Amino acid sequence: MNTILIYDESFSGFLSAVYHVFDKGLKNVSIVKPKHYVPDMFAEGKRIEANEEHARRVWSSLEVKITKHGAKEMYKAFLSEIKGTEDVLLQYIMHVYATESFNYTDLSNVSALRVSQVARMVTREMHHIQTYLEFKTTDDDMDVAVLNSNFNMIPLIGNYFKRRYLNKKWLIYDARRKYALHFDMEALSQTRLSVEKQSEILQRSEFKSPLLYVNLQDSVQKEYGNAS
């Protein structure tokens, strides 16, 4: 019987689902977000809770098997949030462990190729944001910028902007995912803003999408599916 694992959309949740796949020896399995789950009379749906210990074990193992750089590229592909990415990543991980001497630069496997393609798109988007993201100073002396990317970029750009604006308070708001990255001149933190604060930021910010790689993105989405 087929199995559909439903995870909580976090990376830890995804890795916990991967752990479950290997722990239970599942073969015909799919991993989906709750909003993408469609009940199937020929498949068992099972919710997987995020387990930090299981996630850590999978991640540590991947860092050894595909190197830390290869694992980070896989993480970037996850952050693309393109629908179907979880299954591509699962097939990639299965391929990794089925190959005795795996080299992440070998793209002869279709799932490895797809992961590499999407990771490159996310990397280009990250570099573009680092170069062109514009901040505006608010009345309370905080620099604020707004993102409008198809990809979940906030987990990737924090340390760069912390180094660049070490002596400023700043906030980067993701208009699509409705959460922000905040730096108070001491620590970085991810935060949810009130509806009023979100509206205030958007009204003050005339922003354009920093995503320039539309054609490349569309070409990969023909195989991957639409962004989630």
Side-chain angles (χ1 to χ4, degrees), residues 127-171:
H127 290 161
H128 182 73
I129 289 170
Q130 290 171 348
T131 303
Y132 295 108
L133 188 66
E134 294 184 359
F135 289 83
K136 295 188 176 182
T137 304
T138 63
D139 295 339
D140 55 358
D141 198 32
M142 178 180 291
D143 288 356
V144 176
V146 178
L147 285 178
N148 186 33
S149 175
N150 282 345
F151 307 146
N152 184 8
M153 301 305 301
I154 280 182
L156 297 177
I157 62 176
N159 287 331
Y160 172 83
F161 284 106
K162 178 182 177 181
R163 292 191 300 268
R164 184 172 176 180
Y165 301 115
L166 188 59
N167 298 315
K168 293 183 178 181
K169 294 186 297 182
W170 51 261
L171 181 141

Side-chain angles (χ1 to χ4, degrees), residues 7 11 14 18 30-33 36 73-93 111-112 114-119 121-122 150-152 217 220-221 223-228:
Y7 78 108
F11 191 55
F14 169 72
V18 171
S30 181
I31 301 175
V32 301
K33 298 175 182 178
H36 294 152
E73 293 297 283
M74 193 191 78
Y75 179 51
K76 289 178 181 177
F78 175 83
L79 292 175
S80 74
E81 296 189 343
I82 297 173
K83 186 177 180 181
T85 298
E86 295 90 347
D87 284 343
V88 174
L89 289 172
L90 177 60
Q91 291 303 315
Y92 173 64
I93 293 170
S111 58
R114 291 180 179 179
V115 169
S116 177
Q117 288 175 324
V118 176
M121 285 197 302
V122 173
N150 282 345
F151 307 146
N152 184 8
Q217 179 184 341
V220 175
Q221 284 185 355
E223 295 186 66
Y224 250 50
N226 295 324
S228 54

Side-chain angles (χ1 to χ4, degrees), residues 1-5 20 26 28-31 42-46:
M1 188 175 189
N2 296 339
T3 304
I4 302 174
L5 302 181
H20 185 82
L26 302 179
N28 299 315
V29 58
S30 181
I31 301 175
F42 298 107
E44 176 189 8
K46 181 178 177 62

Side-chain angles (χ1 to χ4, degrees), residues 36-47:
H36 294 152
Y37 173 61
V38 178
D40 186 335
M41 64 182 298
F42 298 107
E44 176 189 8
K46 181 178 177 62
R47 291 190 176 270

Side-chain angles (χ1 to χ4, degrees), residues 40-133:
D40 186 335
M41 64 182 298
F42 298 107
E44 176 189 8
K46 181 178 177 62
R47 291 190 176 270
I48 300 296
E49 299 295 329
N51 183 306
E52 293 300 327
E53 174 61 20
H54 292 172
R56 185 193 63 78
R57 289 175 64 179
V58 172
W59 183 247
S60 297
S61 177
L62 284 169
E63 286 187 319
V64 172
K65 186 69 175 178
I66 63 177
T67 74
K68 289 185 177 181
H69 176 77
K72 187 174 182 179
E73 293 297 283
M74 193 191 78
Y75 179 51
K76 289 178 181 177
F78 175 83
L79 292 175
S80 74
E81 296 189 343
I82 297 173
K83 186 177 180 181
T85 298
E86 295 90 347
D87 284 343
V88 174
L89 289 172
L90 177 60
Q91 291 303 315
Y92 173 64
I93 293 170
M94 287 181 165
H95 168 66
V96 165
Y97 285 107
T99 306
E100 185 174 351
S101 298
F102 179 78
N103 186 337
Y104 76 89
T105 63
D106 181 3
L107 304 181
S108 58
N109 176 269
V110 63
S111 58
L113 176 61
R114 291 180 179 179
V115 169
S116 177
Q117 288 175 324
V118 176
R120 284 201 302 271
M121 285 197 302
V122 173
T123 299
R124 289 171 181 170
E125 172 77 334
M126 179 183 71
H127 290 161
H128 182 73
I129 289 170
Q130 290 171 348
T131 303
Y132 295 108
L133 188 66

